[in-house]
Amino acid sequence: MPERKPEMGKWLLYQFFRRNEQIAKFLPETKKYTVENFGALLGKYKMVYVKPVAGSQGKGIMKAWYDGKSIVVQHTVRKQRKFPNVKSAAKYIDNLRDGKMYIVQQGIQLAKIGGRPMDIRVMMQREKPGGRWRYSGMIAKIAGGNSVVTNTALSGGRVMDVDSALQMALGWTPAKVKRTVTELERLGYLFARHFDTYQRYRELGFDVAISSSGRIWLLEQNTAPSHALFARNKKNLALYKRIQYRFGVYERARKAKHA
């Protein structure tokens, strides 16, 4: 059995996905975190996210933005802090960063429900090792109160069906929602097949943002995506059951292959 390659982390993943011309246009501009890069992207976009390269579940993420007079920095669900300039804001970030490698990423004005930002998890799975990708479903994640992350466990947020979420957040017609959901499914296959050029995973979860203007962005790639996220949507447990079923089918196929 071939040895597994290491997980890439956010910086290498960004470079890996940017090599694909079809995917590159969905990626927010991202750089390695330095004080200079932080200042440059903040000046360009007026809002950025600072993320740990090896982080997951929303841990360690910071958001920084201009409020007109100051630079505001908020770490996950902590209180906001205000700074007079880039240098003082970066000093605070560096203290929280504690020497770990981070990236700084273009901030996206996410679509919101009740004033809270949302993004969408698109779930892709295989039913046997080396088998073709299957789209298993998607779910909207809405951030909890006063949080810069949409990770529902960390922020105390909630989940809901994507169709309802897009209608509520953007006021779209059912036809526009359907077109977007179809496009997100297509992108799930595109992203997953590109991942195969690095190595093959049994399942992948992609966090996709819809901006307030309706543009699609690829924010995160998860190689061990949570099933429990889908179990939280009590109104539609069919997706969770499908995901669990396919996980089981894959596991049985894997064991039979090595028996």
Side-chain angles (χ1 to χ4, degrees), residues 7-122:
E7 296 294 309
M8 284 188 272
K10 289 184 175 66
W11 175 239
L12 292 178
L13 274 168
Y14 172 72
Q15 294 175 300
F16 171 70
F17 274 90
R18 196 176 58 169
R19 289 201 294 269
N20 184 310
E21 285 184 6
Q22 290 179 278
I23 297 174
K25 60 188 175 184
F26 295 103
L27 300 174
E29 186 176 357
T30 303
K31 295 179 181 292
K32 276 185 181 178
Y33 174 83
T34 64
V35 176
E36 293 73 24
N37 286 342
F38 170 66
L41 287 192
L42 184 60
K44 185 175 181 180
Y45 296 109
K46 311 307 175 192
M47 178 176 76
V48 295
Y49 283 90
V50 182
K51 302 177 177 181
V53 163
S56 63
Q57 299 175 318
K59 293 173 184 172
I61 291 177
M62 293 170 254
K63 179 182 176 182
W65 67 97
Y66 282 110
D67 71 351
K69 294 180 288 187
S70 310
I71 296 171
V72 187
V73 180
Q74 186 179 359
H75 180 281
T76 57
V77 296
R78 296 185 193 180
K79 284 185 177 178
Q80 297 173 4
R81 296 280 300 272
K82 294 191 175 188
F83 302 92
N85 52 45
V86 167
K87 188 176 179 181
S88 56
K91 186 177 179 182
Y92 173 68
I93 289 169
D94 282 336
N95 284 337
L96 291 170
R97 203 166 57 87
D98 195 28
K100 295 185 177 73
M101 185 178 170
Y102 271 57
I103 57 169
V104 57
Q105 189 174 74
Q106 169 189 350
I108 309 297
Q109 292 288 356
L110 300 181
K112 294 180 178 179
I113 292 178
R116 298 180 181 188
M118 60 160 269
D119 65 13
I120 295 165
R121 168 67 56 84
V122 180

Side-chain angles (χ1 to χ4, degrees), residues 229-247:
L229 190 65
F230 289 83
R232 293 183 62 187
N233 188 11
K234 305 300 182 190
K235 293 180 181 176
N236 187 2
L237 285 174
L239 289 184
Y240 173 66
K241 289 174 181 174
R242 179 191 298 159
I243 288 165
Q244 289 291 87
Y245 171 76
R246 285 183 173 164
F247 188 88

